Amino acid sequence: MKVIAFERSLQGTGASRRLRNAGKTPAIVYGAGNEPQLIELDHNALFHALKKETFHASILDLEIGGKSEQVLLRDVQYHPFKQLILHVDFQRVDASQKLHTKVPLHFLNPEISPAVKLSAAIVSHIFTEIEITCLPANLPEFIAIDLSKLVVGHSIHAKDITLPLGVALVQHLEQENPVIVTATVPAGAVADEAATKDEPAA
């Protein structure tokens, strides 16, 4: 995905306010052993780009002054109540260095799973993204999780996910193998079923 940016030389609260009043968003590019660079982007174009999942989870081609470099979106600061982007951070990508980032999870086929078809269970997504590490060339836009075999009372954990080649999970000491998806029958449905079984035969 291509992003057009322009160099900026002025910084500070006043300069940033003037940029925003002119329909621009201040930003910075850093990393890969180079000096941080101050840039500005068109606010409306950025606002619409941020609605796309790929803008958050894939390598972007950032063009500044006719020169292009690969970056990842690292941080977005929003106004507390206005639809206004205050600042954006991009990190340069080094093709030889592994990335540590989050990618979205796409959940497939829940409607044909035994949990839903046979037990009318509710499938809950505990996480909608997951932390991974990989080289830039192996970065997936998303990771798909097939729920077609999920049965009621069972869960899918992080280590159950089939990862693309060259991609590894980032392990956390506090939660080594967290639950990603669960399938449970609503309490009301369980109570109704129990009441039905307790009714005397006609």
Side-chain angles (χ1 to χ4, degrees):
M1 189 171 180
K2 189 174 184 179
V3 183
I4 304 295
F6 305 91
E7 294 184 59
R8 64 182 172 101
S9 55
L10 300 177
Q11 56 182 316
T13 304
S16 295
R17 187 184 301 113
R18 287 190 293 273
L19 269 181
R20 296 184 191 107
N21 289 339
K24 306 292 184 182
T25 301
I28 190 170
V29 189
Y30 61 86
N34 296 325
E35 289 293 320
Q37 183 177 7
L38 301 177
I39 60 173
E40 61 185 66
L41 303 98
D42 179 80
H43 180 272
N44 288 342
L46 177 63
F47 186 83
H48 290 294
L50 284 166
K51 294 181 179 180
K52 299 177 181 177
E53 185 181 76
T54 53
F55 194 78
H56 295 262
S58 60
I59 294 174
L60 308 170
D61 291 316
L62 182 65
E63 184 179 305
I64 309 169
K67 295 181 179 180
S68 185
E69 56 185 331
Q70 292 190 318
V71 299
L72 276 176
L73 177 67
R74 280 307 192 191
D75 187 52
V76 184
Q77 297 174 28
Y78 294 94
H79 192 278
F81 55 87
K82 295 180 182 178
Q83 287 193 327
L84 182 67
I85 304 159
L86 300 178
H87 194 274
V88 182
D89 291 7
F90 295 101
Q91 181 183 358
R92 297 184 184 97
V93 171
D94 184 337
S96 63
Q97 297 293 321
K98 284 190 173 183
L99 302 171
H100 180 157
T101 190
K102 291 181 179 180
V103 294
L105 298 173
H106 286 191
F107 302 96
L108 310 179
N109 305 316
E111 69 283 352
I112 65 172
S113 68
V116 173
K117 287 186 69 176
L118 303 180
S119 305
I122 293 177
V123 177
S124 301
H125 305 156
I126 311 303
F127 290 92
T128 57
E129 59 183 14
I130 197 164
E131 283 189 76
I132 63 162
T133 181
C134 66
L135 288 172
N138 295 329
L139 178 65
E141 289 188 11
F142 62 87
I143 292 175
I145 300 179
D146 184 8
L147 304 180
S148 62
K149 296 181 180 178
L150 183 65
V151 297
V152 71
H154 284 234
S155 303
I156 295 177
H157 290 74
K159 291 183 179 178
D160 299 327
I161 299 174
T162 301
L163 297 171
L165 186 66
V167 176
L169 287 175
V170 174
Q171 302 294 330
H172 295 281
L173 294 176
E174 66 274 12
Q175 227 178 350
E176 184 180 349
N177 191 24
V179 174
I180 303 298
V181 182
T182 62
T184 55
V185 177
V190 174
D192 290 344
E193 184 178 351
T196 301
K197 288 182 179 178
D198 291 340
E199 289 179 359

